[in-house]
Amino acid sequence: MRLPGPFSMLRLSLGLAVAVSVMGGASQQAPSAAALVGRSASNTSNSDCSRECMTTIVTQILDSIVAHDPRTLPMATVYRATENSHPAALGMMTLWRTVTKAGPPSLLAIDTTIGTAHFALDISEGNDATESVLRGRVKVVDQQITELELFINRYRGDHGFSFSAAELPTNYKALMSPPANRTKASRATLEALSEALFATSSNFSVSIGDDCQFTEIGWKVVDPGTYGNGSTDPLGCSWPSGHPTDTNARVGLVIDEELGFVVTSGIVPGKVYPYGPYGNLSAFIPNTLSAPQEVQEAYFEEMKALGTVPLLSPTGATGDTLEVLQYYNDELQAMQINVYLSGPNMTSPWL
Ligand SMILES: *[C@@H]1O[C@H](CO)[C@@H](O)[C@H](O)[C@H]1NC(C)=O
Ligand SMILES: *[C@@H]1O[C@H](CO)[C@@H](O)[C@H](O)[C@H]1NC(C)=O
Ligand SMILES: *[C@@H]1O[C@H](CO)[C@@H](O)[C@H](O)[C@H]1NC(C)=O
Ligand SMILES: *[C@@H]1O[C@H](CO)[C@@H](O)[C@H](O)[C@H]1NC(C)=O
Ligand SMILES: *[C@@H]1O[C@H](CO)[C@@H](O)[C@H](O)[C@H]1NC(C)=O
Ligand SMILES: *[C@@H]1O[C@H](CO)[C@@H](O)[C@H](O)[C@H]1NC(C)=O
């Protein structure tokens, strides 16, 4: 399942390939206007923030959140910011009120060419030891923060299915130490990979590494099966031809040529269905995955006829996706489907 949680579910039903494809994809279409805007904005005078400088800014963001004080941050005169897909001034965001422990980031992808970074880590809120996942993208111009796109996934229903704040640090740590003798991909190759992810068609052929790690919000994706007869083994990565597409996908948001990370955003319309052997779980399935959706429709009718458990009514939703891929040795090494769900017919404030 390349799909985010929801996608993973799909994948389960369809078979790995389909689900996976949801998130990734092929795409080699002309970049959208949004993508072009992002690019043009991003390549302006950012060479003045090195990897060390970007790391410092990410650390400042996390420290500021824990201190409940956004005033310490080097914000640009005018900045763009969202928390879970909606815009808000930093001091109005829930994160700056509730987070009590954060950092350092378990995953940190840095693009010194356009001055962006993506980070992800487990966090604590309030007095609660229960951990959530914080992930975000920052853009810096003249060493000032111009864009901050933050997400906090607190549990499975925020995105669809798979979630593990506890396993995130170990899973992501492996990605931060790729083999020293790896063959790094060029920036052009990483850009092509990003463009292929949500593309309706692409001539970029993606090979999957033997150890490619497939996660959704920190969790190595496992497909328990709609009827509980799936496998407990983690699913590998896949790059199916049938996958979610988005002609307005934001490509090349972060391209880390050193570690091989690529961050891409797509808006994925879908539906949340009841799921699992007891009918008490749910999963988001992109509309492009019609076969998995049909499996869940049949399952829903079956469970409804049994009438033994309360079932979530299948409901439209939109997955705001910030997918992280890692690519070196000419192969895909990791695929992270990170999603946050909103209501149906939603779009992104970043478009
Ligand atoms: C930004 O990108 C545009 C288009 O690729 C290019 O023409 C321009 O020279 C770049 N600017 C900088 C500062 O790199
Ligand atoms: C890198 O080193 C490992 C172990 O030392 C070896 O198995 C692998 O073939 C090497 N890879 C390349 C691309 O040289
Ligand atoms: C892939 O398509 C792009 C744009 O359509 C083209 O520029 C490029 O040459 C193609 N690459 C290959 C390997 O065919
Ligand atoms: C799981 O059970 C369902 C319903 O009995 C069946 O249709 C499906 O093929 C099974 N899947 C596997 C992987 O055994
Ligand atoms: C779903 O129901 C099963 C069986 O009662 C239970 O073991 C499981 O904890 C429940 N899961 C959730 C997420 O409620
Ligand atoms: C809006 O969402 C509903 C519910 O998911 C869906 O049936 C409908 O096709 C969507 N409309 C558009 C224009 O996408």
Side-chain angles (χ1 to χ4, degrees):
M1 310 211 257
R2 313 158 72 91
L3 311 180
F7 306 45
S8 17
M9 292 305 294
L10 305 179
R11 179 212 288 155
L12 300 177
S13 332
L14 293 183
L16 306 182
V18 173
V20 173
S21 52
V22 171
M23 295 311 286
S27 83
Q28 199 73 347
Q29 295 202 310
S32 63
L36 292 171
V37 169
R39 283 175 178 174
S40 58
S42 48
N43 76 341
T44 51
S45 62
N46 279 295
S47 52
D48 59 347
C49 199
S50 61
R51 291 185 78 86
E52 188 181 21
C53 162
M54 291 299 298
T55 302
T56 299
I57 286 177
V58 170
T59 302
Q60 285 178 320
I61 292 168
L62 298 175
D63 287 350
S64 151
I65 288 172
V66 174
H68 301 171
D69 185 5
R71 292 171 302 178
T72 57
L73 292 177
M75 303 307 294
T77 305
V78 176
Y79 65 90
R80 300 180 68 195
T82 57
E83 178 182 49
N84 288 348
S85 305
H86 62 271
L90 301 191
M92 301 272 287
M93 289 187 183
T94 303
L95 276 174
W96 262 273
R97 294 174 55 82
T98 61
V99 176
T100 50
K101 183 169 163 285
S106 296
L107 183 129
L108 181 57
I110 294 173
D111 187 333
T112 54
T113 302
I114 62 173
T116 58
H118 179 273
F119 53 93
L121 64 156
D122 60 312
I123 56 164
S124 297
E125 291 182 281
N127 296 322
D128 199 343
T130 302
E131 290 170 323
S132 299
V133 171
L134 170 63
R135 53 195 177 85
R137 177 186 66 84
V138 58
K139 177 171 167 55
V140 171
V141 174
D142 294 336
Q143 303 199 2
Q144 292 188 320
I145 298 170
T146 58
E147 297 183 5
L148 201 47
E149 181 176 7
L150 300 170
F151 292 94
I152 177 168
N153 290 70
R154 293 187 169 89
Y155 199 52
R156 306 171 69 176
D158 278 343
H159 48 277
F161 196 73
S162 308
F163 175 86
S164 179
E167 292 175 21
L168 182 149
T170 305
N171 288 338
Y172 291 6
K173 187 179 180 190
L175 309 188
M176 295 303 291
S177 306
N181 64 352
R182 69 189 177 281
T183 303
K184 296 176 193 171
S186 69
R187 189 171 183 88
T189 296
L190 296 175
E191 272 175 7
L193 179 69
S194 182
E195 284 173 8
L197 190 56
F198 292 101
T200 49
S201 72
S202 172
N203 57 8
F204 187 88
S205 172
V206 179
S207 302
I208 310 291
D210 290 341
D211 300 320
C212 186
Q213 184 193 80
F214 177 53
T215 55
E216 294 177 10
I217 313 290
W219 192 54
K220 278 186 188 168
V221 181
V222 170
D223 185 356
T226 303
Y227 297 90
N229 55 357
S231 170
T232 54
D233 295 333
L235 296 174
C237 302
S238 69
W239 194 272
S241 54
H243 59 84
T245 61
D246 180 359
T247 53
N248 292 316
R250 289 182 292 144
V251 305
L253 290 173
V254 180
I255 294 181
D256 185 333
E257 292 154 79
E258 177 63 27
L259 296 174
F261 290 120
V262 181
V263 180
T264 311
S265 174
I267 296 297
V268 179
K271 211 164 180 178
V272 175
Y273 288 92
Y275 193 88
Y278 309 108
N280 57 356
L281 305 180
S282 60
F284 171 67
I285 304 185
N287 289 340
T288 46
L289 302 187
S290 54
Q293 284 200 348
E294 281 160 21
V295 168
Q296 290 315 117
E297 295 283 0
Y299 166 83
F300 173 66
E301 292 304 330
E302 215 173 294
M303 295 297 283
K304 192 168 73 171
L306 281 177
T308 50
V309 288
L311 298 166
L312 173 74
S313 177
T315 309
T318 305
D320 187 344
T321 308
L322 207 49
E323 185 157 340
V324 179
L325 302 177
Q326 188 175 32
Y327 189 90
Y328 55 79
N329 290 346
D330 300 318
E331 290 180 331
L332 192 65
Q333 306 291 347
M335 173 176 275
Q336 303 185 336
I337 296 181
N338 303 308
V339 176
Y340 194 84
L341 292 179
S342 293
N345 307 127
M346 300 293 279
T347 182
S348 167
W350 294 95
L351 291 172

